[in-house]
Amino acid sequence: MSLQDRTFHGRSWQDVLPELTPQDASALEKQDKRLLRKAAAAQDPAKDPFSPEALARQNPYIRATTLSFLNMHEHGELFVNFLRARREIFIDAKGWDLPHVDGMEFDQYDTPRARWIVLHEYGEVLGGVRLMPTTSTCAQYSYMLRDAQLGMLPDIPQDVLFFKAPVRDDIWEATRLFLTAAVPAHRRIAVQRMLMNQMAGVACSMGATHVLGIVPAAFSRWMTRLRLMSAVPVGPVQNIDGDRTQAALMNVTYVQDHAPREGLAKLH
C-alpha cells in the first residue's frame, strides 16, 4: 500500500512513515523524546529565549506576513520585493538557472494555491519560504518533490525521496527557504527560528500536520541548534547545485503543541 492510499489520523512520524526500518525508528524515537523534554522545560516563555514571544521582544521591528493571491494587494510591494530577494539569493548568489523577469525570480509553483511567508523589517525583506499543498495541481505540475520524482525537474534527482511522493491534505511542501544578506551573523539563528515558527504555524492553520522539504544535510543538528520541531530524514543525502541537502519530513504539530497559540499566527 502506498503512502497516498493510507488515511492519516495520528500526529507522529511513526504514523506517517511506518516504512522506516526498526533501527531508524529506535534512533528517531530517542531524538523525539529529547526534543519533547526540551520543550517541556521551556514551556514558560519567560524562560525560553527562543519562544515566539521572546523572539518578538528581542526583534520588535521584524514583521512576519503570510501572503496569498487574496491579500497581497494589501501589502504594497512586499510580494515584489520578496521575489526580488529570491532572485538575489537563488540566481545571483547561488547561480541557479531559474525563470526571472524585472529582477524577480519565479517558477511554476508560484500559483494561487501557494502561501508565501515573508519576514521583513522597515520594509526590507529578511527571509522567506513558500508553502504548497501536496494535493496541488497546475497543468502538468503538482509540487516540486513529486515532480522531481516523476522526472519532470532535471536539476533535482528522481531518487530525492525514499518513498512515493505523498498527495495528502495533511502534508504540505516547503520550498525557497532563505535568509538574505541583510541579516547579520549574530541575528541569523533568531531570525531562522522566527521564520520556521511562522512556517509551522501557517502550515497548521492550513490543516497540515507535517511539512516536507529539502533541508541542509546536517538538518538534525540544525533543528537542534534552533530548538525546532522534530524532523525525519526521508531521502538520501544529495549534492544539489553545490549544496549538500536531504529531504526531511517536519512535524509542525510539535510547535503547535509546545508554543503559545497566539504566537503562531503572527509575531506581532
Side-chain angles (χ1 to χ4, degrees):
M1 182 180 293
S2 71
L3 189 60
Q4 286 93 320
D5 297 329
R6 291 196 296 270
T7 301
F8 173 66
H9 298 292
R11 294 200 300 179
S12 71
W13 57 265
Q14 294 99 323
D15 297 312
V16 180
L17 295 174
E19 295 92 342
L20 287 172
T21 66
Q23 295 94 323
D24 290 338
S26 176
L28 288 165
E29 184 176 6
K30 292 179 182 178
Q31 174 181 303
D32 278 355
K33 286 180 179 178
R34 288 197 301 269
L35 286 167
L36 290 173
R37 283 197 296 270
K38 286 184 178 180
Q43 282 187 355
D44 182 358
K47 298 179 180 178
D48 181 7
F50 291 105
S51 71
E53 291 85 355
L55 290 170
R57 287 195 302 269
Q58 296 160 18
N59 303 274
Y61 302 109
I62 293 181
R63 297 292 182 268
T65 301
T66 302
L67 296 172
S68 70
F69 268 67
L70 291 178
N71 73 358
M72 64 175 62
H73 67 281
E74 300 172 359
H75 299 280
E77 295 188 351
L78 184 60
F79 187 61
V80 170
N81 292 336
F82 169 72
L83 295 181
R84 286 175 175 162
R86 276 180 26 180
R87 177 192 166 118
E88 292 173 1
I89 294 294
F90 298 109
I91 296 179
D92 297 342
K94 289 183 174 291
W96 292 6
D97 183 16
L98 299 170
H100 57 94
V101 67
D102 296 332
M104 297 177 289
E105 180 268 309
F106 64 96
D107 65 19
Q108 62 269 39
Y109 305 108
D110 291 306
T111 76
R113 292 183 180 272
R115 296 295 183 269
W116 302 270
I117 299 166
V118 188
L119 292 189
H120 50 105
E121 187 174 40
Y122 299 117
E124 183 174 22
V125 174
L126 302 181
V129 63
R130 176 177 60 197
L131 287 175
M132 174 76 73
T134 59
T135 55
S136 178
T137 57
C138 184
Q140 72 268 37
Y141 298 104
S142 55
Y143 66 93
M144 190 176 291
L145 287 178
R146 183 170 184 267
D147 291 344
Q149 193 176 68
L150 294 173
M152 299 171 65
L153 304 177
D155 293 333
I156 302 178
Q158 285 185 258
D159 62 347
V160 67
L161 294 172
F162 289 141
F163 51 84
K164 188 176 180 181
V167 178
R168 290 169 36 166
D169 291 330
D170 56 354
I171 300 179
W172 281 51
E173 180 189 51
T175 53
R176 294 294 194 270
L177 175 68
F178 70 92
L179 294 186
T180 70
V183 183
H186 70 276
R187 298 183 73 191
R188 291 187 81 82
I189 291 180
V191 175
Q192 284 173 342
R193 179 64 190 260
M194 295 170 84
L195 180 57
M196 297 298 284
N197 277 341
Q198 192 72 9
M199 182 199 77
V202 172
C204 282
S205 73
M206 302 302 294
T209 59
H210 290 75
V211 169
L212 183 66
I214 295 178
V215 298
F219 77 93
S220 59
R221 293 195 300 273
W222 183 60
M223 290 286 187
T224 301
R225 182 183 65 168
L226 297 180
R227 297 172 65 181
L228 289 169
M229 72 288 291
S230 59
V232 182
V234 293
V237 174
Q238 309 260 14
N239 189 309
I240 300 178
D241 290 318
D243 294 331
R244 289 187 76 253
T245 61
Q246 186 173 29
L249 189 72
M250 294 163 274
N251 184 344
V252 295
T253 61
Y254 172 87
V255 172
Q256 185 182 54
D257 291 342
H258 296 95
R261 186 170 301 274
E262 62 272 15
L264 292 175
K266 50 195 291 189
L267 292 174
H268 300 272

